[in-house]
Amino acid sequence: MTSNDVRSVRWKRYWDKHSQSYDRQMALFDRHLFGDSRMWACGRATGEVLEVAVGTGLNLEAYPPSVTLTGIDWSDAMLDIARRRAAELGREVTLRQADAHKLPFDEASFDTVVCTFGLCAIPDHTKAIGEMVRVLRPGGKLILVDHIESSSRLARGAQRFLEVFTVPLGGEHFLRRPSVHVRAAGFDVEQAERFKLGLVERLVAR
């Protein structure tokens, strides 16, 4: 087993353990930092939808009833909570354990791919974006929301300090800019917004 494999196993265990407190933590961030980003992202999804890093299913109730929804995550513990949430909501969704670096779907399988607050903790986020590109149909939508490198120098300093602890512990990054890689992959960015000192970015690309 390579050092990268060992690290990935450790991070997966971290998120399995973290699943029990994840909803409480995210409720705090949703209230004070992310705002209506879940509704913003999911409300723009259409057709056959794949959510990458679905986690505990916090987005499930935000999707229009018209979409056909599939969600993947690498944490089985997170997915167990998502399945319970889907049952409580009466939401039909296919949930499966999978690696964002190698999505278990054919090319051009989905009309929309959504990822909210997930690319920050995927080990190789550029590879994950490449996989999202692969499974999207021609003209399909990529919808991303995440915390990113701040536009404030002071905030960036704090983010660098946090990464000293969060990257080794759970693989969580604060200084990434997914939109740069989305544009490099050939997408046309139709909508892009940054707010809260540039800490949060959300975009729709096609």
Side-chain angles (χ1 to χ4, degrees):
M1 184 178 290
T2 67
S3 59
N4 285 339
D5 291 335
V6 171
R7 185 175 56 185
S8 294
V9 169
R10 184 175 73 248
W11 287 344
K12 184 177 182 297
R13 287 174 180 165
Y14 169 84
W15 288 106
D16 282 346
K17 183 177 180 180
H18 194 54
S19 64
Q20 297 304 312
S21 61
Y22 182 78
D23 287 3
R24 292 192 300 275
Q25 177 184 332
M26 292 306 295
L28 182 67
F29 286 116
D30 284 341
R31 187 162 56 249
H32 296 292
L33 186 63
F34 302 146
D36 67 345
S37 291
R38 296 184 188 280
M39 293 296 297
W40 185 95
C42 300
R44 286 163 169 76
T46 56
E48 297 274 349
V49 179
L50 171 66
E51 182 173 340
V52 175
V54 69
T56 62
L58 286 174
N59 289 340
L60 293 181
E61 62 183 332
Y63 284 103
S66 57
V67 305
T68 301
L69 186 58
T70 300
I72 68 103
D73 203 278
W74 70 346
S75 168
D76 291 310
M78 290 276 196
L79 287 169
D80 286 342
I81 296 172
R83 291 186 181 98
R84 292 197 296 270
R85 176 169 273 121
E88 291 167 1
L89 293 170
R91 178 92 213 196
E92 187 172 338
V93 54
T94 301
L95 296 169
R96 58 189 295 184
Q97 195 278 335
D99 188 342
H101 298 140
K102 191 174 182 181
L103 295 172
F105 307 106
D106 294 333
E107 293 182 9
S109 293
F110 298 96
D111 301 298
T112 307
V113 174
V114 176
C115 186
T116 65
F117 316 112
L119 282 171
C120 54
I122 293 172
D124 188 338
H125 67 303
T126 59
K127 189 172 183 179
I129 290 170
E131 278 292 277
M132 296 176 196
V133 173
R134 183 183 65 80
V135 302
L136 270 173
R137 292 174 179 141
K141 286 187 288 188
L142 177 64
I143 303 173
L144 302 178
V145 184
D146 225 317
H147 57 77
I148 63 165
E149 181 181 28
S150 175
S151 55
S152 161
R153 186 172 65 179
L154 287 175
R156 287 197 301 273
Q159 289 175 307
R160 289 190 187 95
F161 175 76
L162 286 172
E163 282 194 348
V164 172
F165 304 97
T166 61
V167 173
L169 182 63
E172 186 165 9
H173 295 77
F174 290 90
L175 295 171
R176 289 177 168 176
R177 284 296 308 276
S179 61
V180 173
H181 303 288
V182 169
R183 288 184 171 92
F187 277 88
D188 292 322
V189 176
E190 295 183 340
Q191 292 178 265
E193 302 176 2
R194 289 181 72 180
F195 53 95
K196 296 290 186 180
L197 296 177
L199 285 165
V200 183
E201 184 172 55
R202 53 195 194 186
L203 64 86
V204 178
R206 195 181 292 272

